[in-house]
Amino acid sequence: MNRVVPPLVLGLLLLAVWEAACRILQVPVYFLPPPSAVAIALVDRAPLLAGSALQTFRMALQALFAATLVGGGLALAVSMNRPAERAVRPLAVALQVTPVVAIAPLVVIWSGLDHPDRAVVALAAAVAFFPIFSGVLMGLKSADPDLERLFDLYGASPVQRLLRLRAPSALPFALEGFRVAAGLAVIGAVVAEFVSGSGATQGLAWRLLEAGNRLRTADMLAALACLMAMGLALNAAIALLERHCRARLA
């Protein structure tokens, strides 16, 4: 309860200031609607927003799953071979620093123009890949050196060393990377839907574009509220998973 009350109070205070400022200053609704107008838009367009949010959430989860498989698996593979790590790391960094907008047209073509959802998932996975790869790789290399020498002394096999020493050491780093990647997967899904140039996916990005073209600012903020709620829910789920894992290891 102590963790929930302060942010809740701050949020309500900010909403009250926002509402009062819009009414006192008579800000045009198309420029900045008050929170009450956004709440009305949320209620009026709830079925449409819920369907779009579910679509975006589904694509973000698929992207996160793909990034976890590829990023975690690649980190696991290169952690056992120093030359392989030196070869792969620059490529992983290059993928991370390449703007998703730059590669979106290529991914849309490769995925097939009739399957924009595949392009969105692929682009979101590319955005979420690096935190998982980096977190798992750093965690696997963070094992206690004294324990490493003890495993050498007892002639432990690479598999035994991985399962009994490095994997438990890597778990906190991997979970932190997964937490960052979860937020990036949602962002990546929305950005990818924007840049794919297709409304076939009918996610929240399409609702934002649709409302923006009609100057329906309240509807845009309602879609943004859905995105924030989605991100907070993912973050809370991962935090719960992290606490559970820490409790099991303690």
Side-chain angles (χ1 to χ4, degrees):
M1 184 62 69
N2 292 335
R3 294 181 178 180
V4 176
V5 172
L8 183 61
V9 171
L10 178 60
L12 292 174
L13 180 61
L14 292 175
L15 289 175
V17 171
W18 177 4
E19 181 81 24
C22 287
R23 294 185 180 277
I24 293 172
L25 300 176
Q26 297 182 348
V27 180
V29 176
Y30 72 86
F31 183 75
L32 180 64
S36 56
V38 178
I40 292 172
L42 273 170
V43 173
D44 290 345
R45 298 175 63 82
L48 195 61
L49 287 174
S52 295
L54 184 61
Q55 178 71 355
T56 298
F57 189 66
R58 180 182 66 81
M59 292 188 293
L61 283 183
Q62 289 177 348
L64 186 60
F65 180 71
T68 301
L69 282 181
V70 177
L74 188 60
L76 184 63
V78 303
S79 68
M80 300 180 181
N81 189 301
R82 185 61 62 86
E85 179 188 344
R86 290 179 183 149
V88 169
R89 184 178 283 275
L91 297 177
V93 174
L95 178 63
Q96 173 68 10
V97 300
T98 302
V100 67
V101 178
I103 61 174
L106 283 172
V107 176
V108 170
I109 293 171
W110 293 337
S111 302
L113 298 178
D114 295 332
H115 301 284
D117 54 327
R118 296 179 185 174
V120 171
V121 171
L123 290 166
V127 173
F129 163 81
F130 188 77
I132 294 176
F133 171 78
S134 180
V136 173
L137 183 59
M138 184 180 298
L140 289 171
K141 296 170 62 179
S142 67
D144 190 333
D146 291 334
L147 291 177
E148 290 275 11
R149 286 190 287 270
L150 182 63
F151 272 66
D152 289 335
L153 180 64
Y154 282 96
S157 67
V159 175
Q160 289 175 323
R161 186 188 301 270
L162 174 65
L163 295 179
R164 299 183 181 181
L165 175 61
R166 292 182 177 174
S169 301
L171 187 59
F173 296 88
L175 287 173
E176 186 60 31
F178 191 71
R179 183 202 294 268
V180 175
L184 289 177
V186 175
I187 296 171
V190 174
V191 173
E193 191 177 356
F194 271 127
V195 300
S196 67
S198 172
T201 54
Q202 292 292 304
L204 283 174
W206 179 249
R207 299 301 162 209
L208 285 166
L209 284 172
E210 184 182 47
N213 291 334
R214 298 177 182 178
L215 290 181
R216 301 181 65 163
T217 315
D219 291 350
M220 293 182 69
L221 291 174
L224 286 175
C226 292
L227 278 173
M228 286 189 289
M230 187 189 307
L232 288 172
L234 263 178
N235 191 272
I238 294 171
L240 185 64
L241 174 65
E242 185 175 359
R243 285 198 295 271
H244 177 72
C245 291
R246 290 182 185 277
R248 292 290 298 271
L249 289 175

